[in-house]
Amino acid sequence: MKTNKLMTRLLSSALIALGFTSCEEMEDEYGSPSRDFQVKGVVTDENGKPIENIRVIIRNAYEYGYSPDTTYTDAQGNFSSNVIRDYGFINEHTAYFDDIDGDANGGTFQSDSTSLNDMPSKQTEKGDGWYEGKYEFEVQQKLKKEETH
């Protein structure tokens, strides 16, 4: 009997060393946390006047096969990005603001950017499991006019 227990222990140790474990069923734990987010806001000049036709690009700093989202401000300076599925860290995303029409909307404005990390956000949808839910980021961006010489 003692020999049988000893043999069982030795065989179990050998199997464990080779990477075998018990035959218990285990729940799959593979995946990557993800969340959806959207960036909304308004772009104005330094005096608070809305600026139309400013290009807004939301881009991931590392571009993991992710193509940036591009939108434009309306006559009231408002913009809203598409909903973006994020698998990394939200603070890796940046919003870029570029004047693409020159003097057409009150002057030429300097390009600017801001990290999503610097924007207020709120959760708009609860998540479940690896999906952490949906978030909305709000930005009030003021652009400076280009200096003319």
Side-chain angles (χ1 to χ4, degrees), residues 6-21:
L6 179 61
M7 185 60 80
T8 302
R9 287 184 183 167
L10 285 173
L11 287 173
S12 293
S13 297
L15 288 172
I16 289 171
L18 292 171
F20 294 95
T21 60

Side-chain angles (χ1 to χ4, degrees), residues 90-108:
I90 287 182
N91 63 355
E92 295 175 350
H93 290 79
T94 302
Y96 297 91
F97 303 90
D98 298 301
D99 184 354
I100 60 168
D101 63 6
D103 289 332
N105 287 297
T108 303

Side-chain angles (χ1 to χ4, degrees), residues 130-146:
W130 287 106
Y131 177 66
E132 296 175 348
K134 183 177 176 182
Y135 294 81
E136 189 174 282
F137 289 82
E138 183 92 17
V139 62
Q140 305 290 319
Q141 188 72 29
K142 291 187 181 289
L143 296 182
K144 296 179 181 179
K145 280 194 174 180
E146 289 279 349

Side-chain angles (χ1 to χ4, degrees), residues 1 8 21 25-26 30 53 60 62 75 97-98 104 113 117 119 123 127 130-131 133 135 144 146:
M1 185 76 167
T8 302
T21 60
E25 279 192 42
M26 295 180 67
Y30 299 104
N53 212 24
N60 182 318
Y62 301 104
F97 303 90
D98 298 301
S113 65
N117 223 15
M119 297 179 196
Q123 187 171 14
W130 287 106
Y131 177 66
Y135 294 81
K144 296 179 181 179
E146 289 279 349

